[in-house]
Amino acid sequence: METESSWNYTCQHGPEECVGNKIQACVLDQVPEPSEYVPMINCLVESRGAENATADCLADLDISTTTAEEVNECANSDEGSNLLHEYGVETKNLDPKLYSVPWVLFNDVFDNDSWQAGLDDLREVLCGNFLAGSSKC
């Protein structure tokens, strides 16, 4: 629902999910390198309570392009709500339409074979096709 300057959300799994989604949107906005934001998002998803995990994930992954304070400030502001709205619009406009989660785009393109293989072993798909030579592989 749009308010005067932002958006209000109701998330399937409750308010903590909405906070976590906003934190992830802010991380994507503040951490420009996929080699940093992919493991960061993974760390947040695996943690209980993304808001409390932000500092630990940034430190554990040695990410210095932002701080936990900046991410949490963004997530708790209109900026975080607006970023999440932008991702929602992007999701709504996917072609083909999203019909299952997780839904993965590879270099902004949906590839059914990579998606299906990624459901079993995403690391293998990424390292074998997209991240060759990465220290994360």
Side-chain angles (χ1 to χ4, degrees), residues 45 91 94 97-106 110-112 114-122:
V45 168
T91 299
L94 287 171
K97 297 284 184 199
L98 179 142
Y99 59 83
S100 177
V101 291
W103 189 261
V104 181
L105 300 180
F106 298 92
F110 179 77
D111 177 281
N112 191 62
S114 293
W115 176 62
Q116 289 291 334
L119 293 174
D120 291 326
D121 192 341
L122 184 59

Side-chain angles (χ1 to χ4, degrees), residues 74-91:
C74 168
N76 291 311
S77 70
D78 288 348
E79 178 184 12
S81 294
N82 291 332
L83 286 168
L84 188 57
H85 175 259
E86 289 174 20
Y87 285 113
V89 170
E90 185 178 321
T91 299

